[in-house]
Amino acid sequence: QAQVVESGGGLVQPGGSLRLSCAASGFTLTRYLVSWWRQRPGKEREMVARLSVSGDVAIHADSVQGRFTASKDDAKNIVNLQMNNLKPEDTAVYYCYAESSDGYSGNYWGQGTQVTVSS
């Protein structure tokens, strides 16, 4: 079955870095809009980064601008989220979302990966 799976989460100290990966299974990400979302404790799920279908344009939320970088690797069929200078407020479950650009293929949410930033 088609799905996306996030990985790379974990516990990191403030100021540290993590790289999350979103791997597609059962389909290719070539023609999908892929975005990264997070849900912080007690808050609504929010978009933190969004890649164009081609993967050459990335938009990042103001809260992570300059610290997070989303990128797409078509050869490996994955999307990455490099997170630097992590802050405690970055603690959240991070999700990958793939939106079909063809109008008929399905859209897929990943299961989420926990990122905890704490001393």
Side-chain angles (χ1 to χ4, degrees):
Q1 61 185 31
Q3 63 178 357
V4 292
V5 179
E6 305 93 336
S7 63
L11 175 64
V12 65
Q13 295 181 345
S17 298
L18 284 174
R19 186 181 69 178
L20 306 183
S21 294
C22 172
S25 177
F27 72 104
T28 61
L29 292 170
T30 305
R31 299 189 182 278
Y32 281 74
L33 273 169
V34 180
S35 54
W36 284 97
W37 297 66
R38 71 182 181 187
Q39 188 161 14
R40 295 183 286 176
K43 296 185 177 181
E44 297 180 357
R45 189 174 297 185
E46 61 182 329
M47 186 185 297
V48 297
R50 190 180 188 92
L51 286 161
S52 64
V53 173
S54 64
D56 58 358
V57 178
I59 304 297
H60 302 87
D62 290 341
S63 59
V64 305
Q65 186 72 40
R67 300 188 298 117
F68 291 10
T69 303
S71 60
K72 190 176 184 181
D73 188 340
D74 287 336
K76 297 181 179 179
N77 203 31
I78 63 173
V79 169
N80 296 316
L81 183 67
Q82 179 66 45
M83 305 185 294
N84 299 323
N85 192 25
L86 285 161
K87 303 176 180 180
E89 53 263 41
D90 294 320
T91 295
V93 177
Y94 284 75
Y95 299 89
C96 178
Y97 181 54
E99 300 177 68
S100 174
S101 62
D102 60 20
Y104 59 86
S105 298
N107 302 326
Y108 308 100
W109 282 99
Q111 85 289 350
T113 185
Q114 176 70 46
V115 172
T116 302
V117 184
S118 176
S119 299

